[in-house]
């Protein structure tokens, strides 16, 4: 690796410059510029179809961008397999529908990638996995199948599974919207703990209590663009744009 | 009308019947094995893309599924040697010809089973694998394939049972499998019921063994509560009877 200025290398972990993406004629993302510092917690919100999922899926190349550049940890996401692989190792992701592997036990879910991608031994991987399952308060379920767990438990396993790769950044795409209301809290608690531990996090969520509690910045998106970036207090108490005001008033009802 | 039990018994325990049954089961296993090996990559290619290669493969599958199996057997046995002198050598036996014809035929059917099974796997599984940094092949091998297999097992075993019975067609290219062994016995002694009953016993044993194996496989690949707890599963006998009725 070339010599780099340690300060900028340490502080900025994700940079999007002029990022755009189209599906045919439809512009899902336009001119996104974003710099995210290590340890920062970002909450992304906006109306349905505004491109929130697409934006965070660009960051680990699940939805490749067409225009602009994305750097993660100073590696450019240029579609080369080597770079994509390196970035995916550093970027964990939690999905709305959990996407646990149903044919593997909870523990095996957590072992697969560390062993096959990171090349860890089973013993090493298991030690990490059990520690992280403990951190999401589910270690005692390690030998169950995912289908034997509640939604909230499954989502906590999904968080642990992503953490087992020891990523630098965690992406969350509406992690609580598929959950029954009584299970939302247990998942948010885990996410708050993770935030307190210093993890860099990008969360698409409409849980405004969570946003106020942990977010350093809120990104408000509409129609494929970043419309507003503000601190939670600014955003919730005094949104600058009409579109954000509309969105917030709808959210209250 | 009498049933000559001793003739039945001696047919059942004869070396000829045992050999015939072995040829039937080995031919079925080899044909289905090769068929499955061919069908998996073909299913993936046909599903992934539109273009020249998937187009050609799709038409081939269409031809193989459309043509009667009997025609395919006769074609491989009689027509291949006309086109390619290499197939005129003595090593090109009826067994080999049947193996080639049935493998291709099975592959065509299995492609459809595999495609349906692969489609049944939630695309979110692949996304989760990618997000964890797993490569394409790793995702296929560790995530997609085991989940698709669960879906594919019942129709695949059905397909195999059908194949087991279709091997009897190979008697037209003078392969001495189970059915032609029985027919040969009948043609010399005219003891229809005795010889056919002996063949039936062999077929039943083979099918029952398969159904038993299917149950074991299905249990191995059942990972949700509902599956693991099923107790009102139809018994092996009912399943076998249902399957025997089909072909
Ligand atoms: N594969 C695709 N092909 C075509 N259009 C797509 C595809 N994926 C997403 N879109 C469109 O892109 C737009 C943005 O989608 P995206 O999923 O990023 O929105 P979102 O903000 O996450 O919405 P939601 O709150 O409903 O999850 C939507 O209008 C959607 O219909
Ligand atoms: Mg979304």
């Amino acid at each position: 690796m070339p010599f780099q200025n340690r300060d900028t290398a340490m502080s900025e972990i994700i940079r999007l410059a002029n990022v755009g993406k189209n599906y045919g004629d439809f512009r899902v993302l336009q001119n996104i510029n974003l710099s995210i510092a290590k340890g920062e917690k970002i909450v992304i919100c906006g109306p349905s179809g505004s491109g929130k999922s697409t934006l965070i899926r660009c960051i680990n190349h699940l939805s490749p961008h067409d225009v602009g550049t994305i750097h993660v940890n100073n590696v450019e996401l240029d579609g080369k397999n080597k770079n994509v692989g390196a970035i995916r190792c550093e970027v964990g992701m939690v999905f709305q529908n959990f996407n646990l592997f149903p044919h593997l036990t909870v523990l095996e879910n957590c072992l697969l990638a560390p062993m096959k991608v990171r090349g860890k031994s089973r013993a090493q991987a298991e030690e990490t996995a059990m520690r992280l399952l403990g951190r999401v308060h589910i270690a005692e379920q390690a030998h169950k199948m995912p289908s034997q767990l509640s939604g909230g438990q499954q989502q906590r396993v999904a968080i642990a599974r992503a953490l087992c790769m020891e990523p630098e950044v965690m992406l969350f795409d509406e992690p609580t919207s598929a959950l029954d209301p009584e299970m939302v809290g247990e998942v948010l608690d885990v996410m708050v703990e993770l935030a307190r531990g210093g993890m860099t996090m990008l969360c698409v969520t409409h849980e405004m209590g969570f946003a106020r509690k942990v977010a350093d910045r809120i990104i408000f998106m509409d129609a494929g663009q970043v419309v507003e970036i503000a601190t939670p207090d600014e955003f919730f108490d005094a949104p600058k744009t009409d579109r954000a005001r509309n969105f917030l008033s709808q959210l209250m009802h | 009308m009498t049933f000559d039990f001793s003739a039945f018994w001696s047919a059942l325990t004869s070396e000829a019947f045992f050999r015939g049954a072995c040829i039937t089961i080995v031919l079925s296993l080899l044909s289905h094995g090769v068929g499955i090996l061919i069908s998996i990559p073909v299913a993936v290619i046909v599903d992934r893309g539109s273009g020249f290669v998937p187009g050609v493969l799709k038409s081939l599958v269409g031809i193989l599924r459309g043509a009667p199996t009997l025609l395919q057997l006769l074609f491989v046995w009689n027509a291949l040697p006309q086109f390619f002198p290499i197939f005129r050598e003595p090593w090109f036996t009826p067994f080999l010809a049947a193996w080639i014809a049935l493998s291709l035929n099975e592959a065509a059917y299995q492609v459809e089973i595999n495609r349906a099974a692969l489609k049944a796997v939630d695309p979110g599984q692949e996304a989760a694998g990618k997000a964890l940094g797993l490569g394409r092949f790793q995702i296929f091998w560790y995530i997609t394939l085991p989940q698709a297999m669960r879906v594919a097992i019942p129709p695949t075993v059905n397909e195999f049972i059908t194949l087991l019975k279709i091997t009897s067609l190979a008697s037209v290219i003078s392969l001495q499998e189970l059915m032609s062994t029985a027919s040969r016995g009948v043609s010399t002694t005219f003891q229809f019921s005795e010889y056919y009953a002996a063949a039936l016993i062999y077929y039943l044993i083979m099918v029952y063994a398969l159904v038993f194996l299917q149950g074991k496989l299905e249990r191995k690949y059942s990972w949700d509560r509902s599956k693991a707890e099923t107790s009102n599963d139809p018994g092996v006998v009912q399943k076998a009877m249902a399957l025997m009725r089909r072909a």
Side-chain angles (χ1 to χ4, degrees):
Chain A
M1 234 173 98
F3 180 79
Q4 275 160 342
N5 179 326
R6 265 201 95 70
D7 273 338
T8 55
M10 287 301 288
S11 60
E12 187 188 59
I13 190 156
I14 297 174
R15 183 169 71 247
L16 285 81
N18 194 27
V19 168
K21 178 171 179 66
N22 306 318
Y23 283 119
D25 289 341
F26 181 65
R27 307 181 79 178
V28 200
L29 295 177
Q30 295 178 53
N31 195 26
I32 309 276
N33 292 287
L34 212 55
S35 168
I36 294 163
K38 201 164 200 161
E40 229 187 333
K41 286 89 182 113
I42 307 278
V43 163
I44 302 167
C45 61
S48 181
S50 56
K52 308 176 295 290
S53 298
T54 309
L55 175 65
I56 66 165
R57 289 165 73 96
C58 279
I59 294 171
N60 62 357
H61 212 66
L62 284 188
S63 304
H65 59 290
D66 307 324
V67 183
T69 56
I70 300 179
H71 285 81
V72 179
N73 245 347
N74 288 310
V75 178
E76 187 181 346
L77 203 46
D78 51 7
K80 290 200 190 94
N81 273 342
K82 182 168 149 274
N83 290 353
V84 171
I87 285 173
R88 284 181 179 160
C89 285
E90 301 305 332
V91 179
M93 186 162 197
V94 175
F95 299 85
Q96 182 173 353
N97 297 320
F98 328 138
N99 292 347
L100 291 178
F101 306 131
H103 59 300
L104 301 177
T105 64
V106 164
L107 182 61
E108 287 164 345
N109 263 275
C110 296
L111 298 181
L112 184 61
M115 288 172 66
K116 301 298 169 195
V117 181
R118 291 263 196 231
K120 284 192 180 184
S121 72
R122 193 181 179 92
Q124 279 176 312
E126 222 173 288
E127 193 193 310
T128 313
M130 288 312 294
R131 178 167 52 80
L132 290 166
L133 286 171
R135 219 165 113 189
V136 301
H137 317 293
I138 206 147
E140 68 283 2
Q141 319 274 14
H143 297 286
K144 287 200 177 157
M145 301 309 277
S147 59
Q148 294 172 291
L149 304 182
S150 73
Q153 290 173 321
Q154 288 190 47
Q155 193 60 300
R156 286 185 279 141
V157 171
I159 294 173
R161 176 177 72 178
L163 291 176
C164 282
M165 286 295 282
E166 301 175 319
E168 303 258 2
V169 180
M170 285 285 283
L171 309 174
F172 294 84
D173 192 359
E174 305 204 37
T176 58
S177 15
L179 295 175
D180 292 337
E182 71 270 21
M183 294 172 186
V184 170
E186 65 191 62
V187 171
L188 290 179
D189 287 346
V190 164
M191 290 169 64
V192 171
E193 283 168 38
L194 193 60
R196 295 229 170 93
M199 178 64 75
T200 310
M201 292 165 66
L202 274 85
C203 312
V204 176
T205 180
H206 293 155
E207 292 292 335
M208 292 308 151
F210 172 81
R212 269 190 193 271
K213 200 162 170 184
V214 307
D216 297 309
R217 286 188 287 169
I218 309 263
I219 294 179
F220 173 70
M221 290 184 68
D222 193 15
Q225 288 173 306
V226 171
V227 176
E228 207 167 319
I229 303 185
T231 64
D233 288 346
E234 284 168 357
F235 181 72
F236 291 117
D237 301 336
K240 288 198 268 308
T241 58
D242 285 342
R243 286 197 270 184
R245 258 191 296 280
N246 272 339
F247 172 74
L248 283 171
S249 72
Q250 271 164 11
L251 211 61
M252 298 305 157
H253 297 146
Chain B
M1 176 77 213
T2 54
F3 187 85
D4 182 351
F5 190 81
S6 72
F8 161 74
W9 185 253
S10 69
L12 191 66
T13 53
S14 68
E15 204 196 316
F17 264 74
F18 184 72
R19 263 180 59 98
C22 285
I23 289 176
T24 291
I25 193 93
V26 169
L27 178 62
S28 305
L29 282 172
L30 287 177
S31 303
H32 208 191
V34 172
I36 289 173
L37 284 183
I38 298 174
S39 68
I40 292 176
V42 173
V44 171
I45 294 168
V46 166
D47 248 14
R48 283 273 157 106
S50 55
F52 183 69
V53 176
V56 168
L57 288 174
K58 253 184 231 171
S59 335
L60 277 177
V61 167
I63 292 170
L64 289 171
R65 289 180 69 203
T69 313
L70 187 59
L71 188 153
Q72 295 179 38
L73 276 166
L74 289 170
F75 182 87
V76 170
W77 178 237
N78 294 319
L80 269 193
Q82 284 184 350
F83 291 119
F84 307 102
I86 189 169
F87 288 110
R88 285 176 211 155
E89 307 287 324
W91 57 261
F92 191 57
T93 58
F95 184 87
L96 210 56
W99 184 13
I100 293 172
L102 294 177
S103 295
L104 291 174
N105 192 232
E106 269 324 284
Y109 283 101
Q110 199 68 39
V111 164
E112 295 304 313
I113 294 177
N114 295 351
R115 281 180 62 195
L118 289 171
K119 277 220 182 78
V121 179
D122 175 8
Q125 293 290 306
E126 189 184 338
K130 281 184 179 173
L132 286 165
L134 292 160
R136 264 174 73 158
F137 183 75
Q138 290 174 319
I139 292 173
F140 183 73
W141 187 252
Y142 295 112
I143 300 171
T144 313
L145 194 62
Q147 293 184 54
M149 262 172 78
R150 170 163 98 151
V151 181
I153 285 169
T156 300
V157 175
N158 274 357
E159 195 49 47
F160 186 79
I161 289 171
T162 306
L163 172 64
L164 194 77
K165 290 176 276 183
I166 281 178
T167 53
S168 59
L169 291 176
S171 56
V172 299
I173 60 171
S174 67
L175 181 70
Q176 291 298 327
E177 44 66 59
L178 182 54
M179 204 52 223
S180 63
T181 305
S183 302
R184 210 171 32 156
V186 166
S187 65
T188 54
T189 63
F190 296 103
Q191 290 179 303
F192 297 99
S193 42
E194 291 78 1
Y195 282 90
Y196 289 148
L200 174 67
I201 298 286
Y202 272 108
Y203 278 115
L204 280 178
I205 290 173
M206 291 190 281
V207 170
Y208 271 66
L210 280 168
V211 170
F212 175 75
L213 207 71
Q214 175 183 2
K216 276 197 115 101
L217 272 175
E218 277 179 22
R219 265 190 300 285
K220 185 173 170 218
Y221 283 94
S222 73
W223 44 75
D224 27 51
R225 245 176 321 184
S226 53
K227 266 262 170 123
E229 282 168 6
T230 42
S231 52
N232 57 350
D233 215 22
V236 169
V237 178
Q238 283 94 319
K239 267 192 182 170
M241 294 312 279
L243 289 168
M244 292 302 289
R245 235 179 284 131
R246 279 184 65 249

